[in-house]
Amino acid sequence: MSSPPAIDIRSLRVDYGNFVAVNDLTLQVPPGEVFGIVGPNGAGKTSTFRVLTTLMEPTYGEVILSGVDVLEDIESARRIIGYMPDLAPVPSDLKVWEFLDFHANAYGIGNRAQRRDRVAECLEEVDLTNQRDSWCNKLSRGQTQRVVLAKTLLHRPRVLILDEPASGLDPLARRDLRHALRKLAATGATVFVSSHILSELAEMCTSLCVMNRGKLLASGTVEQVREQLGSNERTLTASLLSGHEQAAEWLSAQPAVHDLQRSGQQIIFGYKGSDESQADLMAGLVRLGVRMRAFEEKRSSFEDILVEVAESNRN
């Protein structure tokens, strides 16, 4: 039998007066996933997180985390949730271990020796053991984010909810954070992470969803999301050794081809069609008898897809 979802959101709606922030959101995330939620400002990400973390009540709907009804049993839900808000502050007058020990004590984690051991474990999980005695105000942005993540892990939450954890991080820090989250998921924890940068989540997550104006538009793996959003636009480049004029004339007559241009031995054009029809296009060029050296594809970036989604949903 399959395990129940770690995150089970059913018909969630959040209203602010006449404004609908989250509109009938239904979503399930299995245990051990790094699951991303992406969307432009106003998509409903923050409101969804506020409900999941028991910081607000929805207009209606259900939220069940690892079998616990968040709206009916807030205290039990809080014991299994680890929440890392965007740009979470750390005190400037504490060392890293002092900051973590303070929160371990607040969580009621054993005696001093047990807290020391748990702090050491969490620092190791985020690869910051060598920063144990550093002052918090001397840490880099990436190190600070990982210290806050270590704090979030202290009470061994089964569901981690991270709001824009990679915001402002350089590529090396994002890589370190990505590795840390995947290590956590490998232990069975479920990580629910938000971002407005789709390519960032594509690198970090095992699966993701896209929201806009409160509605769920797509969910699944990166490729499944791309397919669900119907973004099959791509740029194709045919590098030819002969038959350039013949190939350009034939391609221009194909219904899915647009913006064709020649550059030396290359013919570059936009194409919007299925993978099967693209294969037929290549076969057609071969039948023409042109000598083709290469046929390259460049798909729309995830940022382009998100911009297209946002623009298509404007009034």
Side-chain angles (χ1 to χ4, degrees):
M1 296 178 61
S2 60
S3 300
I7 300 173
D8 191 358
I9 303 171
R10 305 174 186 175
S11 303
L12 181 66
R13 178 169 175 133
V14 178
D15 294 339
Y16 298 97
N18 294 325
F19 176 71
V20 181
V22 180
N23 191 353
D24 198 30
L25 174 64
T26 295
L27 183 69
Q28 286 80 39
V29 181
E33 289 268 355
V34 180
F35 189 92
I37 179 170
V38 67
N41 292 335
K45 305 187 302 295
T46 298
S47 295
T48 299
F49 273 25
R50 288 179 62 82
V51 173
L52 264 63
T53 54
T54 74
L55 297 178
M56 70 178 294
E57 292 187 7
T59 305
Y60 59 75
E62 295 179 85
V63 176
I64 300 170
L65 303 180
S66 294
V68 177
D69 190 320
V70 169
L71 305 180
E72 296 294 330
D73 193 352
I74 291 177
E75 292 306 315
S76 295
R78 287 176 176 173
R79 282 192 286 270
I80 66 172
I81 295 170
Y83 177 45
M84 179 177 167
D86 184 19
L87 299 177
V90 296
S92 60
D93 57 347
L94 292 179
K95 293 184 176 181
V96 168
W97 76 265
E98 292 173 327
F99 170 68
L100 295 177
D101 181 73
F102 170 83
H103 284 279
N105 190 36
Y107 283 127
I109 298 175
N111 55 36
R112 181 175 296 181
Q114 290 170 323
R115 293 197 303 272
R116 184 182 61 243
D117 291 343
R118 183 58 187 152
V119 166
E121 289 171 358
C122 290
L123 285 173
E124 184 175 357
E125 286 189 50
V126 299
D127 296 321
L128 276 183
T129 300
N130 60 347
Q131 298 294 334
R132 179 184 184 278
D133 294 313
S134 298
W135 293 99
C136 288
N137 64 346
K138 300 297 183 182
L139 299 175
S140 69
R141 175 66 183 276
Q143 290 170 336
T144 299
Q145 289 288 76
R146 282 187 282 153
V147 167
V148 176
L149 179 58
K151 184 269 293 182
T152 306
L153 299 176
L154 286 167
H155 62 299
R156 294 184 172 86
R158 297 202 294 275
V159 177
L160 285 92
I161 300 173
L162 314 180
D163 193 1
E164 300 278 359
S167 175
L169 299 188
D170 60 38
L172 182 60
R174 286 201 302 271
R175 184 202 65 184
D176 292 342
L177 177 64
R178 181 168 67 248
H179 290 168
L181 296 184
R182 287 178 177 173
K183 283 171 59 179
L184 290 171
T187 69
T190 301
V191 183
F192 198 26
V193 54
S194 79
S195 178
H196 64 281
I197 303 174
L198 190 50
S199 59
E200 185 175 88
L201 287 187
E203 294 176 354
M204 187 180 299
C205 300
T206 52
S207 53
L208 53 89
C209 70
V210 178
M211 288 185 68
N212 192 46
R213 300 182 68 181
K215 293 184 178 181
L216 179 68
L217 302 183
S219 66
T221 65
V222 171
E223 286 306 314
Q224 287 171 340
V225 165
R226 188 192 287 275
E227 291 175 7
Q228 290 170 38
L229 293 178
S231 183
N232 52 9
E233 177 72 38
R234 78 247 3 219
T235 299
L236 301 177
T237 302
S239 299
L240 307 179
L241 297 178
S242 65
H244 299 80
E245 292 290 346
Q246 183 183 12
E249 182 179 354
W250 182 81
L251 285 168
S252 298
Q254 305 308 307
V257 172
H258 60 87
D259 298 328
L260 184 143
Q261 56 183 307
R262 287 184 56 184
S263 176
Q265 292 186 319
Q266 295 181 328
I267 300 176
I268 305 167
F269 55 96
Y271 188 75
K272 192 166 188 177
S274 66
D275 290 343
E276 290 76 14
S277 60
Q278 180 175 319
D280 292 339
L281 196 73
M282 295 171 63
L285 286 172
V286 172
R287 284 195 299 270
L288 280 177
V290 301
R291 297 188 65 200
M292 185 162 53
R293 181 177 60 83
F295 196 84
E296 301 173 42
E297 171 190 274
K298 181 181 179 182
R299 297 225 177 194
S300 300
S301 72
F302 283 113
E303 277 69 29
D304 293 337
I305 295 172
L306 197 57
V307 168
E308 184 178 335
V309 165
E311 290 181 342
S312 67
N313 282 274
R314 287 177 177 170
N315 289 329

